[in-house]
Amino acid sequence: MKRLIVFATMFVSLLSVACAQESEPELEFVLQLNVTLGESYGVGQTPHGIRHIIPITGGTFEGPNIKGEILAGGADYQLINTQLNRTELEAIYCIRTHDGVNIHVRNTGIIAPQTSGAYFYTSPKFEAPVGSAYEWLNNGIYVCRPSGGMQNGICLKVWKIRDAYDFRNIVAPIPGIPDAIRQPAQKQGRIETVWYDTERNGKKLHKHARVYVPYGYNKRDKKKRYNVIYLMHGGGDNSLSFLTPPQNWLPLSQVLDHLIAEGQMEPVLVVTPTFYDDDENIGVNRMEHAIDLTRHFHWELEHSLIPVVERQYNTYLQKTDSASIAATRGHRAFGGFSMGALTTWFQLAYGNDVVRNFLPLSGDCWVYNEKNEKQPADVAAAWLVKQLEASPVGKDFQIYGYSGTDDIAGTPQTQLVEALSKHPEMFHYGQPDENLRFSLRQGGQHFYGHINEYLYHALPLIWPKATAE
Ligand code: FER
């Protein structure tokens, strides 16, 4: 009786686990087997069907997390059922990984003729040694089907069944900020204006940018050098939107004052330019114009803004040739909000040799086809990968992305980061050697008040303070 109750409770709890999984299952590729086969032989008609034995003589296998050879000595013990017009398979053999771990395989399934081809599916079970690096193989339900032929053998692909996951569930949450940050700090930096000349489409432009100069900055102290963070505003905003935003929203200058005064980051210079032709907000009602401006800003940054601002202030840049600018990319960050986040993704794509650290804040990367239709996240991600592959910096970049669940950019940016994370050859998401980070604020909205809170968390991560005093 007691045992029955235990069994019944187990049954109920298992049911509730099953019900919690609302998403449809999906398949994740695990490995491909290239199996060489020997001469087959038969037993003939048995009580169960016509028994047919196909020796497994060797081969190889490979997947994203495993590879090795197939050992000789196994076989596929087939049973042909002529009445039901199908073949039952039962292949039993052993595979050995490149690092010497033996894994027992039992792969059972059917081949049933259909009008178009055959229904040929099997379900392999793996027995990997407990405590080995391949123990994960034991904990999965797999499906397998042939994938093309090979001489004297067969190729099979194996997938694991898993729940389709909602990427949002694995994205890091963004905490709030201490109340003190909402009050002005005692030691305050100042906001200066720099002017520089540039050009676009043959048109000469005289433009300004704002510079947050931290408390205690002394131009004459040439020994002290400062890292530089460039932050681009959103569509319809201007060069002061981050530092002193409207409507009593948390000012970034105040966040910087606190972070620096409290020793959470080294003093930095923060430069807030504009992608517009200076005071003309030509992008406000003309989004396609703004997209074009954000796409080309990297040229202006490298050729016009960096040379002026980084020689005017004490930075790591000593000479303004492109080799010197590239050599100091680690001392530079580029970020932006909304259309400024778009500028940031374009900076990553076109100007990663000039900047190493990227802060896309509430915005995804817009990529278009010939018909001028915005492409889905996987296309944008593939484009970014292609751009980075063509760059000498390779995987040497750092992305700190932020958005909110109630932000119009929350979903598209989450989708983009998820798509990027599926290119592990370029983007390492949520791993010890990560170069792609993304956090989502519950209830976070598309405005500077929340964005400047994100920067409170983000900025100390870029150049961690040396802990040794
Ligand atoms: C995004 C969502 C919204 C984005 C930009 C916007 C670049 C807003 C644009 C605007 O109206 O200015 O993902 O990414």
Side-chain angles (χ1 to χ4, degrees):
M1 187 60 198
K2 206 167 177 191
R3 181 177 287 178
L4 198 67
I5 292 168
V6 170
F7 184 75
T9 24
M10 224 172 86
F11 189 65
V12 169
S13 63
L14 283 177
L15 260 184
S16 59
V17 167
C19 294
Q21 296 171 344
E22 279 165 27
S23 59
E24 298 281 312
E26 61 181 29
L27 298 179
E28 178 182 331
F29 174 65
V30 176
L31 56 89
Q32 172 162 333
L33 298 148
N34 306 312
V35 190
T36 59
L37 301 171
E39 198 83 28
S40 69
Y41 52 92
V43 175
Q45 184 70 52
T46 75
H48 306 291
I50 299 166
R51 179 65 78 181
H52 204 70
I53 297 158
I54 307 171
I56 289 172
T57 55
T60 58
F61 67 96
E62 180 155 10
N65 300 306
I66 193 166
K67 65 180 178 198
E69 52 169 342
I70 297 165
L71 302 186
D76 181 12
Y77 304 94
Q78 298 193 342
L79 212 43
I80 300 159
N81 187 327
T82 42
Q83 253 162 3
L84 299 178
N85 192 22
R86 63 175 220 168
T87 299
E88 290 167 17
L89 315 177
E90 182 177 13
I92 300 173
Y93 52 106
C94 190
I95 61 178
R96 182 173 294 165
T97 62
H98 74 292
D99 49 353
V101 177
N102 292 340
I103 299 165
H104 174 77
V105 184
R106 180 168 175 264
N107 194 6
T108 60
I110 58 168
I111 308 174
Q114 299 181 130
T115 30
S116 60
Y119 186 91
F120 185 162
Y121 275 101
T122 61
S123 181
K125 282 189 173 148
F126 296 96
E127 285 176 26
V130 172
S132 74
Y134 303 96
E135 202 176 349
W136 52 270
L137 268 174
N138 297 332
N139 300 316
I141 299 294
Y142 301 90
V143 292
C144 169
R145 115 181 143 190
S147 102
M150 64 182 254
Q151 220 175 1
N152 307 323
I154 185 168
C155 298
L156 300 155
K157 272 190 176 170
V158 176
W159 295 267
K160 180 178 173 170
I161 301 178
R162 65 151 195 227
D163 279 348
Y165 60 83
D166 185 343
F167 191 70
R168 281 177 181 233
N169 295 340
I170 64 164
V171 165
I174 305 176
I177 60 166
D179 281 344
I181 309 302
R182 302 197 186 278
Q183 302 304 320
Q186 295 226 304
K187 295 175 177 173
Q188 299 179 8
R190 56 183 189 271
I191 297 169
E192 299 182 347
T193 302
V194 291
W195 287 90
Y196 62 99
D197 291 312
T198 187
E199 58 179 88
R200 192 185 321 112
N201 300 331
K203 184 176 162 194
K204 295 222 177 307
L205 299 166
H206 188 56
K207 295 183 57 171
H208 79 280
R210 311 293 178 175
V211 182
Y212 168 88
V213 183
Y215 177 87
Y217 175 86
N218 177 2
K219 180 156 177 61
R220 283 181 300 277
D221 181 2
K222 299 280 183 204
K223 286 201 297 295
K224 176 125 184 70
R225 297 183 188 183
Y226 292 79
N227 293 316
V228 190
I229 301 171
Y230 294 86
L231 291 175
M232 183 58 79
H233 60 72
D237 304 333
N238 62 43
S239 65
L240 280 173
S241 300
F242 269 104
L243 292 169
T244 57
Q247 301 190 38
N248 290 327
W249 295 338
L250 178 69
L252 181 62
S253 54
Q254 189 172 303
V255 171
L256 291 162
D257 291 342
H258 280 289
L259 283 173
I260 293 165
E262 285 149 30
Q264 300 197 53
M265 68 185 294
E266 294 290 349
V268 285
L269 294 160
V270 176
V271 181
T272 54
T274 172
F275 52 72
Y276 295 125
D277 292 9
D278 213 52
D279 46 9
E280 255 180 291
N281 273 9
I282 45 180
V284 178
N285 299 310
R286 294 162 66 184
M287 193 55 100
E288 77 285 359
H289 208 151
I291 295 166
D292 200 48
L293 295 173
T294 60
R295 183 192 300 285
H296 292 105
F297 189 79
H298 67 97
W299 188 91
E300 179 171 329
L301 179 78
E302 177 177 355
H303 295 98
S304 313
L305 183 54
I306 287 175
V308 169
V309 82
E310 295 193 21
R311 294 298 294 131
Q312 192 163 325
Y313 293 88
N314 296 339
T315 69
Y316 289 85
L317 188 70
Q318 298 304 299
K319 288 189 292 166
T320 60
D321 59 293
S322 48
S324 300
I325 293 177
T328 49
R329 67 189 278 276
H331 295 288
R332 230 166 262 129
F334 192 100
F337 164 57
S338 192
M339 295 308 280
L342 182 60
T343 320
T344 307
W345 292 115
F346 286 143
Q347 184 70 43
L348 174 70
Y350 297 117
N352 50 59
D353 53 334
V354 171
V355 178
R356 181 167 187 264
N357 307 288
F358 298 89
L359 297 147
L361 309 166
S362 288
D364 64 318
C365 183
W366 295 356
V367 170
Y368 295 83
N369 66 6
E370 325 76 62
K371 291 195 215 134
N372 215 25
E373 295 155 334
K374 190 191 171 211
Q375 295 301 288
D378 58 333
V379 176
W383 177 75
L384 279 167
V385 170
K386 187 166 65 67
Q387 291 295 117
L388 283 158
E389 274 169 357
S391 154
V393 306
K395 288 190 271 193
D396 182 31
F397 54 81
Q398 297 294 335
I399 300 175
Y400 307 85
Y402 290 81
S403 195
T405 56
D406 296 358
D407 185 314
I408 44 168
T411 297
Q413 194 176 354
T414 305
Q415 288 168 344
L416 177 66
V417 175
E418 177 171 14
L420 293 173
S421 75
K422 290 183 177 162
H423 291 271
E425 73 285 8
M426 187 59 74
F427 292 97
H428 300 178
Y429 180 79
Q431 291 158 44
D433 62 343
E434 62 191 345
N435 59 9
L436 172 64
R437 299 162 190 76
F438 180 55
S439 307
L440 206 56
R441 160 85 174 263
Q442 194 61 42
Q445 294 172 21
H446 202 70
F447 80 117
Y448 288 94
H450 283 165
I451 294 297
N452 285 341
E453 290 190 24
Y454 306 162
L455 286 170
Y456 171 81
H457 299 293
L459 297 184
L461 303 176
I462 303 177
W463 296 285
K465 268 189 82 154
T467 40
E469 289 298 299

